[in-house]
């Protein structure tokens, strides 16, 4: 619900458990007041003002009233150059060289829907939107702030539009999406760092004086940092404490900045990374920033995650596959790498179909002259030496086995040894007359150019319409360098990073609307572009190139803070594992991969009979648990940042009727007492029958006992013989 009180000039946005409040202050600035627990209909105007501090100047409109400074006032959209010295959202150069916009409140509108953000991913669905226009007192530059309220999830989607009404061109050096000013700073910042094959590791660090900057300048959101941060009370746990999530719906360069200031306040900003960004705005033009989703929880990190999970499942992912049951797939990458032909693929598909698997995904290597990773990216034409008879014939053979067919692409890339490069050597990102950086023997296509996108589109369209494809894996295996485009003059090259990702979004939008029945899975060397922007186009994303079940515990744990399990691509792979060399029980691999969009990535024809039986059981189990895993509430039961021996997590149906508890050991220790697990999401007074992995009843307890007293996790030695190293247990709970 959105309210505006004319008299006090206070805006209040109310959600199920939270209130967001801001006001137009005595000098006409839009001041942030509160985002947190509800205020009982009250208003905090005047209670939090900081007052005088030397070296914090008063703006012109305040004259010599030194009790007022933008430097000490909580902002909704911070601006550089006009007396607020903290991190800006907006940095602008006017035609006369001035850089000090003075943004005052101008007007507001309340809409009962969400305006579309053209060319950008955005939340959708039922919501109310508050639109506030700020205007520069000197030049008429306008900033239009959008706040869309998704009440059920305590979520506010924010973005800003900069409109040039100055009568002359201006340039933007920063145009971020959101500023969250807090009047305290006794907080921790949680962020998610990593590297290729080890993404989204949780780091929790106290907010200090100065800035913590979490960002990417790689042209993709990246493996190294994720465009999602959480600010929380130092004492916040899974079940208690105030937490604020800031999640960016964007897949290119981003910057999240958390700054503790001189006045004991804290500011978090999120938006397009100003490094490498410089945007020309002609008179009359506007620049729309991408959207950020703010979510509040006063009940700890677990509730914050569950709110994001629901919001993203229901109001971000789109299309048929957002809600439809995803097929269990077999991907041939770790089974064959580049060494396959149609018969090999069909033999894998045949075994897979006998075991209950529903779709074969043909990964890298089916096109052009692609016998290794030195060549052929950009030549999206089937290699008939490998796929004899072409895609239609392969698809018919796979379909005849009752299986669907999927295909891998890496549309944004080009190999120097490719027909596309020979025809258009100037289509890759490069600066004329200079060398290029190479990564995985490939260069990056200039996706800002329409003719480049059209050429890639036409090749992909041709392949995808040649057979009955059900799925596409959209990969991106290196980051951007040599960022220069022939389509812009020298002084506008700073627009390219953003135009690149807008081009990627445009191509995705085009192909996905042409092939609405195809399930698109995102990927970037595993989880290098696992962000809320991509989730708008792909309802699932390959979580990591690390398929080791034990390593995946930490990767999937970190991912769960901001993203739903229905988005997490996760497969059972061969052992010794190809990334770590580790051998884990087949059962453990199944339990871990099941907490995601389940599949296999190994040569099923090489499995033992016992393992084949296990595949059948796992697929059956996944189907049985599908709605619980994909629509249920997710609970992290142990803090992996504090201990790594054992991981435990639970899915509970929203109504508490069913739950499944997963326990997986990463280390076996001697003389070890397992921890007590407090289950969650159960009906306290009801009884639950608990059964183990083999379907044996373990006992019956009330929900209250299981939640408040808890149950001790099994010992590794409780696993079947030979499986105590990296043991996994899965308990089902049914309300009686
Ligand atoms: C990336 C992906 C892998 C696989 C390879 C193919 O690394 O993450 O899953 O598709 O590319 O080259």
């Amino acid at each position: 619900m959105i309210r505006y009180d004319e008299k006090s000039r206070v805006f209040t946005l109310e959600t199920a458990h939270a209130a967001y409040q801001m006001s137009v202050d005595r000098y006409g600035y839009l001041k942030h007041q509160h985002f947190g627990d509800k205020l009982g209909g009250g208003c905090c105007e005047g209670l939090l003002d900081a007052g005088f501090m030397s070296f914090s100047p008063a703006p012109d409109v305040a004259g010599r009233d030194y009790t007022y400074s933008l430097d000490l006032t909580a902002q909704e959209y911070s601006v550089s150059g006009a007396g607020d010295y903290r991190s800006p959202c907006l940095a602008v150069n006017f035609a006369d060289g001035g850089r000090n916009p003075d943004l005052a409140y101008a007007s507001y509108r309340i809409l009962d829907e969400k305006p579309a953000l053209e060319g950008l991913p955005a939340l959708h669905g039922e919501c109310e939107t508050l639109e506030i226009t700020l205007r520069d007192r000197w030049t008429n530059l306008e900033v239009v702030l959008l706040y869309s309220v998704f009440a059920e999830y305590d979520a506010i989607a924010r973005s800003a539009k900069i409109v040039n009404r100055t009568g002359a061109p201006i340039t933007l050096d920063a145009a971020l999406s959101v500023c969250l000013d807090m009047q305290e700073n006794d907080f921790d910042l949680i962020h998610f760092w990593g590297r290729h094959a080890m993404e989204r590791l949780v780091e929790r660090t106290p907010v200090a004086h100065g800035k913590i900057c979490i960002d990417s300048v790689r042209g993709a959101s990246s493996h190294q940092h994720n465009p999602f941060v959480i600010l929380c009370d130092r004492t916040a746990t899974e079940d208690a404490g105030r937490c604020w999530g800031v999640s960016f719906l964007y897949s290119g360069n981003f910057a999240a900045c958390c700054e503790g200031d001189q006045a004991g306040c804290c500011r978090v900003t999120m938006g397009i990374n100003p490094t490498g960004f410089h945007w020309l705005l002609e008179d009359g033009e506007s620049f729309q920033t991408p959207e950020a989703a703010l979510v509040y929880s006063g009940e700890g990190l677990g509730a914050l995650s569950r709110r994001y999970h629901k919001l993203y499942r229901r109001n971000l992912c789109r299309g048929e596959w957002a809600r439809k049951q995803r097929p269990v797939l077999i991907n041939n990458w770790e089974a064959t790498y580049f060494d396959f032909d149609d018969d090999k693929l069909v033999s894998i598909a045949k075994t897979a179909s006998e075991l209950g698997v529903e779709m074969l995904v043909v990964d890298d290597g089916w096109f052009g002259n692609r016998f290794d990773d030195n060549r052929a990216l950009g030549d999206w034409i089937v290699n008939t030496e490998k796929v004899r008879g072409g895609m239609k014939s392969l698809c018919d053979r796979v379909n005849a086995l009752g299986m669907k067919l999927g295909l891998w692409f890496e549309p944004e890339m080009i190999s120097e040894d490719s027909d596309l490069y020979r025809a258009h050597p100037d289509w890759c990102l490069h600066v004329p007359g200079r060398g290029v950086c190479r990564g995985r023997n490939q260069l990056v296509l200039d996706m800002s150019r329409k003719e480049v996108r059209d050429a890639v589109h036409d090749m992909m369209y041709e392949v995808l319409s040649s057979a009955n494809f059900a799925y596409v894996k959209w990969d991106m295996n290196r980051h951007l360098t040599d960022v220069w485009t022939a389509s812009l003059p020298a002084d506008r090259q700073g627009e390219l990073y953003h135009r690149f990702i807008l081009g990627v979004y445009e191509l995705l939008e085009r192909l996905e609307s042409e092939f609405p029945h195809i399930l698109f899975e995102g990927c970037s060397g595993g989880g290098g572009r696992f962000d809320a922007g991509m989730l708008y186009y792909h309802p699932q994303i390959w979580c990591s190139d690390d398929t080791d079940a034990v390593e995946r515990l930490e990767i999937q744990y970190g991912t769960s803070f901001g993203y739903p399990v229905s988005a997490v691509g996760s497969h059972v792979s061969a052992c010794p594992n190809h990334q770590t060399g580790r051998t884990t029980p087949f059962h453990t691999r199944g339990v871990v991969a099941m907490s995601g969009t389940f599949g296999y990535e190994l040569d099923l024809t090489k499995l033992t009979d016992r393992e084949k039986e296990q595949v059948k059981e796992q697929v059956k189990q996944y189907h049985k648990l599908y709605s619980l895993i994909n629509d249920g509430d997710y609970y992290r039961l142990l803090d992996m940042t504090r201990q790594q021996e054992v991981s435990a997590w639970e899915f509970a149906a929203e109504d508490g009727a069913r739950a499944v508890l997963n326990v997986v050991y990463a280390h076996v220790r001697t003389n070890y007492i397992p921890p007590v697990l407090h289950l969650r999401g159960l009906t306290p007074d009801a009884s639950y029958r608990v059964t183990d992995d083999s379907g044996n009843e373990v006992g019956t307890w009330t929900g209250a006992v299981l939640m408040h007293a808890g149950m001790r996790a099994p010992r590794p030695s409780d696993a079947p013989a030979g499986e105590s190293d990296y043991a996994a247990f899965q308990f089902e709970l049914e309300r009686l």
Side-chain angles (χ1 to χ4, degrees):
M1 202 211 352
I2 299 174
R3 275 197 322 265
Y4 178 58
D5 184 307
E6 292 279 352
K7 209 161 139 250
S8 56
R9 300 214 284 178
V10 170
F11 293 95
T12 306
L13 284 46
E14 267 196 8
T15 64
H17 311 94
Y20 189 111
Q21 198 166 80
M22 55 198 145
S23 63
V24 181
D25 69 17
R26 64 186 194 273
Y27 292 116
Y29 293 104
L30 184 66
K31 179 168 71 177
H32 178 75
Q33 298 278 12
H34 173 78
F35 182 31
D37 292 312
K38 282 194 170 169
L39 299 171
C43 159
C44 38
E45 171 57 35
L47 277 177
L48 303 166
D49 293 349
F52 169 78
M53 187 179 251
S54 47
F55 283 82
S56 289
D60 187 66
V61 64
R64 282 159 211 261
D65 178 0
Y66 295 117
T67 65
Y68 187 88
S69 173
L70 294 179
D71 203 27
L72 301 167
T73 305
Q75 304 289 321
E76 282 298 319
Y77 199 68
S78 54
V79 168
S80 160
D84 180 355
Y85 297 104
R86 298 166 293 171
S87 316
C89 285
L90 182 69
V92 55
N93 287 297
F94 295 104
D96 62 0
R99 292 159 177 256
N100 56 340
D102 190 13
L103 292 182
Y105 168 80
S107 61
Y108 81 97
R109 285 199 304 160
I110 295 175
L111 316 168
D112 57 7
E113 52 168 22
K114 190 158 182 300
L117 305 187
E118 214 193 313
L120 285 166
L123 292 169
H124 50 80
E126 216 172 283
C127 67
E128 262 187 303
T129 300
L130 170 64
E131 185 192 275
I132 295 185
T133 300
L134 310 177
R135 190 168 300 124
D136 179 19
R137 288 191 164 103
W138 315 116
T139 69
N140 276 341
L141 173 80
E142 271 180 17
V143 175
V144 181
L145 302 177
L146 290 180
Y147 301 79
S148 295
V149 183
F150 293 86
E152 190 182 343
Y153 319 108
D154 299 303
I156 309 227
R158 285 196 53 184
S159 68
K161 187 159 79 176
I162 317 327
V163 189
N164 182 2
R165 296 197 195 287
T166 66
I170 60 170
T171 48
L172 305 175
D173 285 333
L176 274 64
S177 298
V178 64
C179 171
L180 181 61
D181 268 357
M182 313 294 286
Q183 304 278 1
E184 315 152 50
N185 68 1
D186 199 17
F187 296 122
D188 283 340
L189 181 77
I190 302 178
H191 63 102
F192 305 87
W193 70 284
R195 54 187 181 272
H196 174 233
M198 203 65 209
E199 298 91 339
R200 289 172 298 288
L201 304 174
V202 180
E203 187 161 86
R204 183 166 174 164
T205 175
V207 171
H209 292 104
K211 295 178 188 179
I212 304 170
C213 180
I214 309 296
D215 76 340
S216 166
V217 286
R218 294 169 173 267
S221 49
S222 89
H223 310 83
Q224 287 72 14
H225 295 290
N226 196 265
F228 173 53
V229 296
I230 301 171
L231 193 70
C232 62
D233 284 331
R234 291 236 166 113
T235 51
T237 63
E238 282 294 324
D239 302 306
R242 297 175 302 164
C243 318
W244 297 262
V246 185
S247 173
F248 198 27
L249 280 65
Y250 189 63
S251 315
N253 289 350
F254 75 93
C257 180
C258 177
E259 179 177 4
D261 75 5
Q262 57 175 348
C265 300
C266 164
R267 167 174 293 174
V268 177
T269 54
M270 175 74 93
I272 293 177
N273 199 334
T275 302
F277 175 84
H278 184 73
W279 195 278
L280 173 75
L281 218 49
E282 297 287 357
D283 183 41
E285 284 182 352
S286 59
F287 181 84
Q288 174 63 58
T289 75
E291 185 165 278
L294 306 183
V295 172
Y296 174 71
S297 155
E299 300 104 59
L301 297 160
L304 185 84
S305 295
R306 287 186 288 281
R307 286 171 197 169
Y308 271 113
H309 296 173
K310 286 188 187 138
L311 176 73
Y312 284 174
R313 277 193 320 239
R314 298 174 188 169
N315 296 79
L316 177 59
C317 297
R318 299 174 302 164
E320 278 182 27
W321 287 101
R323 304 294 293 158
K324 204 155 115 185
Q325 180 153 342
R326 321 272 172 77
V328 174
L329 63 84
I330 168 75
N331 178 302
N332 76 311
W333 179 239
E334 287 195 19
T336 66
Y337 295 103
F338 293 104
D339 185 17
F340 63 85
D341 61 18
D342 52 322
D343 285 344
K344 177 70 197 166
L345 294 173
V346 172
S347 76
I348 293 176
K350 183 165 181 304
T351 310
S353 73
E354 288 160 7
L355 304 180
V357 176
E358 295 150 310
M359 180 165 72
L360 170 73
V361 174
V362 181
D363 209 280
D364 194 354
W366 57 266
F367 51 91
N369 188 24
R370 185 82 167 167
F371 290 94
D372 56 40
D373 68 9
N374 277 304
R375 61 202 91 251
L377 291 173
D379 295 343
W380 304 110
I381 294 159
V382 63
N383 177 326
T384 47
E385 255 178 76
K386 282 181 162 185
V387 185
R388 289 161 297 190
M391 277 300 169
K392 169 90 173 71
S393 149
L394 176 66
C395 193
D396 289 347
R397 289 169 74 190
V398 170
N399 286 170
L401 295 165
M403 302 263 293
K404 298 178 195 307
L405 186 66
L407 207 53
W408 179 95
F409 288 91
E410 199 180 351
E412 298 147 69
M413 297 294 152
I414 183 165
S415 307
E416 285 161 284
D417 181 0
S418 68
D419 291 341
L420 189 70
Y421 187 83
R422 282 180 281 276
H424 300 284
D426 61 318
W427 277 9
C428 65
L429 294 179
H430 70 292
V431 186
R434 301 192 200 165
V436 286
C437 295
R438 291 178 183 81
R440 209 196 184 199
N441 315 310
Q442 62 196 58
L443 305 177
V444 182
L445 280 170
D446 182 353
M447 298 300 285
S448 73
R449 286 169 67 176
K450 182 158 186 329
E451 68 273 31
V452 174
R453 296 198 300 274
D454 285 349
V456 175
H457 167 269
D458 293 351
M459 284 185 274
M460 291 180 72
Y461 184 91
E462 185 80 21
V463 177
L464 291 176
S465 44
S466 71
N468 180 27
F469 288 105
Y471 163 107
V472 161
K473 177 173 171 186
W474 183 299
D475 209 340
M476 190 228 190
N477 279 318
R478 61 156 290 182
H479 291 144
L480 278 55
T481 55
D482 314 298
V483 174
W484 186 93
T485 178
S487 62
L488 290 170
D491 61 348
R492 294 185 63 181
Q493 294 295 325
E495 298 178 21
L496 182 51
Y497 277 113
H498 184 53
R499 289 191 186 278
F500 177 93
I501 202 72
L502 290 179
V504 173
Y505 288 154
E506 189 267 343
L507 184 57
L508 273 161
E509 187 75 52
R510 217 188 318 173
L511 284 160
E512 293 184 4
S513 48
E514 285 163 349
F515 298 98
H517 305 304
I518 290 185
L519 166 61
F520 281 76
E521 173 160 331
C523 179
S524 174
R529 213 160 50 179
F530 203 116
D531 56 65
M534 275 300 157
L535 277 185
Y536 179 72
Y537 300 96
H538 317 298
Q540 62 189 57
I541 302 176
W542 182 226
C543 184
S544 178
D545 271 350
D546 190 342
T547 59
D548 176 294
V550 173
E551 298 258 277
R552 274 293 185 118
L553 292 175
E554 223 176 321
I555 297 169
Q556 293 179 191
Y557 173 82
T559 305
S560 77
F561 279 80
Y563 305 99
V565 163
S566 59
V568 174
S570 197
H571 301 164
V572 171
S573 63
C575 278
N577 178 269
H578 293 195
Q579 290 80 41
T580 59
R582 188 186 343 239
T583 295
T584 50
F586 203 85
H587 177 59
T588 301
R589 285 175 262 162
V591 168
V592 174
M594 243 176 243
S595 286
T597 64
F598 189 55
Y600 291 83
E601 181 140 349
L602 41 70
D603 190 345
L604 289 170
T605 63
K606 293 191 179 143
L607 295 187
T608 62
D609 287 346
R610 166 78 189 115
E611 286 169 335
K612 285 185 180 162
E613 278 312 306
Q614 285 179 288
V615 173
K616 280 192 197 164
E617 286 160 20
Q618 287 173 351
V619 173
K620 222 166 98 194
Q621 178 74 349
Y622 184 64
H623 282 150
K624 183 173 154 206
L625 298 179
Y626 189 88
S627 63
L628 201 48
I629 291 172
N630 283 278
D631 303 320
D633 286 336
Y634 179 90
Y635 294 90
R636 292 176 292 267
L637 300 185
L638 293 174
D639 181 348
M640 285 202 80
T641 61
R642 287 172 51 199
Q643 61 79 38
Q644 275 96 34
E645 273 131 14
V646 56
S647 182
W649 66 100
E650 180 198 340
F651 299 98
E654 248 184 303
D655 65 359
R658 288 168 73 203
V660 61
L661 164 67
N662 304 280
V663 182
V664 179
Y665 278 91
H667 297 286
V668 186
R669 301 207 186 271
T670 54
N671 219 2
Y672 169 77
I673 306 291
V676 171
L677 305 175
H678 291 273
L679 273 66
R680 294 280 176 265
L682 308 179
T683 313
D685 298 337
S687 290
Y688 285 83
R689 183 191 305 123
V690 182
T691 49
D692 67 14
D693 307 89
S694 320
N696 298 323
E697 186 168 333
V698 184
T700 300
W701 295 276
T702 61
V705 165
L706 293 166
M707 292 193 292
H708 307 322
M711 67 184 263
R712 195 170 293 286
R715 290 167 183 266
S717 55
D718 294 336
E723 294 194 7
S724 59
D725 207 7
Y726 310 116
F729 305 88
Q730 197 170 59
F731 297 95
E732 286 179 60
L733 286 86
E734 197 189 339
R735 192 170 60 197
L736 299 174

